[in-house]
Amino acid sequence: EQVAAMVKQLAARMEEHPDDLEGWLMLARSYRFLKRHADAVAAFEKAMPLVEQNPQLLADLADTIAMATGGSLDGRPIRLIRQSLELDSVNMQSLWLAGTYDFERGDYENALMYWRRLKNIAQPGSQDANAMDTNIAEVEARLRAAGRAIPPEDAVVATVAKGPTFVAGTVRVDPVYQEKI
């Protein structure tokens, strides 16, 4: 209830300050936390000048749109994912989503490529790495069952290139503490 009240206050503030792009992003993230996906999409849209230049925000928006529309990555979500990967070829969330999109369409070779990339950059033993092990095993099993060749891993690993890393945000300090910083 307390979080919902704070989000309601933030939404009211954003109506008074519609040009505050960072505020819209904060509201979008808050709505995502509350699983109010349609509201989160609307807030992301208000911050689009920031979103369209940031691969992580593009991935977040794609995922949020999918959640708001029943989980489908078709249409705009996959376009946003591809845009994210153009900006940062190793964005973990975008690799995961792109692999999921291709897996759901039966394009197992592409799903395997994305998930191997993600596995290659994930912290060994992490939840992401373990999930990719499971996903990769599933894809390889489906390829074998369909009599299709499993692409060699080195063909995928060689394509992984470190993309730019972005950190965006605004830090506001209470005037009481400004002199101490």
Side-chain angles (χ1 to χ4, degrees):
E1 288 178 25
Q2 198 173 25
V3 171
M6 289 172 32
V7 172
K8 187 175 180 179
Q9 286 178 327
L10 178 58
R13 191 182 95 208
M14 294 317 305
E15 293 303 321
E16 294 173 11
H17 303 284
D19 295 332
D20 180 0
L21 300 180
E22 293 290 340
W24 285 112
L25 284 178
M26 187 182 307
L27 184 59
R29 290 179 179 125
S30 300
Y31 282 145
R32 276 181 56 128
F33 176 79
L34 294 174
K35 300 193 183 332
R36 292 176 53 184
H37 302 297
D39 291 330
V41 170
F44 271 122
E45 296 292 348
K46 299 279 188 171
M48 192 50 78
L50 294 177
V51 172
E52 64 192 359
Q53 299 303 316
N54 184 306
Q56 186 57 54
L57 293 175
L58 288 166
D60 289 343
L61 176 56
D63 188 39
T64 304
I65 292 170
M67 296 300 287
T69 58
S72 174
L73 293 169
D74 284 324
R76 188 167 179 219
I78 192 60
R79 288 192 304 273
L80 292 168
I81 292 163
R82 289 181 180 138
Q83 184 179 348
S84 170
L85 288 170
E86 285 177 18
L87 294 171
D88 179 4
S89 66
V90 292
N91 178 277
M92 292 180 73
Q93 184 177 5
S94 292
L95 289 171
W96 193 308
L97 293 171
T100 300
Y101 176 81
D102 286 334
F103 180 82
E104 289 175 351
R105 272 140 205 78
D107 187 348
Y108 300 128
E109 290 84 359
N110 265 345
L112 188 59
M113 176 193 68
Y114 287 120
W115 287 343
R116 281 179 174 170
R117 281 186 190 177
L118 178 52
K119 167 74 169 138
N120 190 50
I121 61 173
Q123 180 73 31
S126 69
Q127 186 175 4
D128 289 334
N130 293 338
M132 287 306 103
D133 285 337
T134 301
N135 290 358
I136 289 166
E138 175 67 22
V139 168
E140 290 176 349
R142 289 185 183 215
L143 285 169
R144 276 191 291 281
R148 290 161 51 188
I150 297 172
E153 188 163 343
D154 60 347
V156 173
V157 173
T159 66
V160 176
K162 288 287 184 187
T165 301
F166 293 88
V167 176
T170 301
V171 176
R172 293 186 180 104
V173 178
D174 188 307
V176 172
Y177 300 106
Q178 283 182 345
E179 290 182 21
K180 296 179 180 181
I181 295 177

